Amino acid sequence: EDMEKIRSIITWLIYHSGLGLLISIFIKKKEAIILVYHSVGGKGIFEDNIIRTDIFEKQMKHLLKKRTIVSLNSIIDKKLKNEPIPENWAVITFDDGYKDFAVNAEPLLQKHNIPATIFICSSTFEANAELFFDKLQRVISSTHKKTINMEFPGQNYQYKIKTEKQKRDAILKLALIFRELSTEHMAKYLDQLCTLCNIPISPENNNNYLTEDDIEQLDHLTSIGSHTVSHANLASLSEKE
C-alpha cells in the first residue's frame, strides 16, 4: 500500500512537472505525442500545474524544430480512418481552462502558428468557481494552522503544515486522496478542510478561469474540448452522476 502511494506521488510529480514532456521528446522510440499543459505563467492556483511563460515558448520552439505540430482533430481523423499516424506529429493540449491561456499561452501559439486544444470544466463559468486542487492550494497555503487532522472513510490523517515544504507535501497528498472521491464527498471534505483551516469556503474575486466571453474571443487555431463539469473522477461517479 505504501509503495502504491509512492508510485502515485511520483506519477503525479512527473505529470505536472514537465518531466513527462522531456522524456517523451528524448526517448529513442519516436512516435506521435500529445502534450498536456495546464497553466502558463499563472498565479494563485495549484502550483504544480504552472509552467513559466518563457520556458513554455522555449519548448514550443524546440518542438517546431523536431516535430510537426498538428491539431488534436488531425490525429482523431487518422484514428477514425484507421490510417497510420505520422511518428513525428505532436499535439498541444491544455486542461482546466485557466485564464492565463488567453493571456500568456495563446499569443505565443499564434506567434508560432501552433494549433492547440483546451479542455474546459463548465462549472468554472460560475461566479467564484474553484477546482478542487486549486482550493487545496488556496486553503493550505493561506492557513495559519500548524497541523490539520482529516478524517476520510476508514482513514484518519494528520498533516503538519507549519513550513512551506510541509504545506506543499500536504497539498500533494490530499490531492491524491481527493481525486478518488465522488463529487458529493469531495464537496463535503473540501468544506470540512476550509473549516479546519479557518479559510472561507469560496474565494473572493476569483478570476483564474476563462469566461464564456474569453472563449468566444479565442483564435481559430484553438479548439475547445469538454473536461467534465467539475473535474470529477469519472470512475468514482455513480451511473446517475
Side-chain angles (χ1 to χ4, degrees), residues 89-104:
W89 276 14
V91 173
I92 308 300
T93 69
F94 294 80
D95 278 1
D96 305 335
Y98 290 114
K99 184 178 283 287
D100 57 67
F101 172 82
V103 177
N104 298 327

Side-chain angles (χ1 to χ4, degrees), residues 142-157:
S142 301
T143 186
H144 296 296
K145 296 282 187 178
K146 296 180 181 179
T147 61
I148 53 172
N149 294 288
M150 290 291 296
E151 297 184 6
F152 297 97
Q155 297 174 310
N156 297 324
Y157 295 100

Side-chain angles (χ1 to χ4, degrees), residues 188-232:
K188 171 186 174 181
Y189 289 112
L190 281 172
D191 288 353
Q192 181 184 109
L193 179 65
C194 291
T195 300
L196 288 171
C197 293
N198 293 327
I199 299 296
I201 292 175
S202 297
E204 295 183 5
N205 303 318
N206 186 13
N207 62 348
N208 287 328
Y209 309 102
L210 292 168
T211 65
E212 293 179 80
D213 289 340
D214 292 331
I215 292 171
E216 289 180 1
Q217 296 176 31
L218 293 178
D219 186 75
H220 70 282
L221 287 170
T222 302
S223 58
I224 307 297
S226 171
H227 205 41
T228 76
V229 175
S230 58
H231 209 291

Side-chain angles (χ1 to χ4, degrees), residues 78-95:
K78 289 286 187 183
K79 293 290 288 184
L80 291 175
K81 295 175 182 177
N82 201 28
E83 296 177 354
I85 298 172
E87 64 180 17
N88 70 326
W89 276 14
V91 173
I92 308 300
T93 69
F94 294 80
D95 278 1

Side-chain angles (χ1 to χ4, degrees), residues 38-39 44-46 49 94-99 119-139 171 175 178 186-187 190 193-194 201-203 206 208-210 227-232:
H38 291 80
S39 167
I45 60 176
F46 187 61
N49 281 350
F94 294 80
D95 278 1
D96 305 335
Y98 290 114
K99 184 178 283 287
F119 292 93
I120 294 172
C121 298
S122 57
S123 67
T124 58
F125 296 146
E126 301 172 5
N128 293 326
E130 195 173 31
L131 298 177
F132 82 90
F133 33 82
D134 294 334
K135 177 165 286 190
L136 287 175
Q137 175 78 31
R138 175 177 64 87
V139 173
I171 291 168
F178 272 89
M186 183 181 291
L190 281 172
L193 179 65
C194 291
I201 292 175
S202 297
N206 186 13
N208 287 328
Y209 309 102
L210 292 168
H227 205 41
T228 76
V229 175
S230 58
H231 209 291

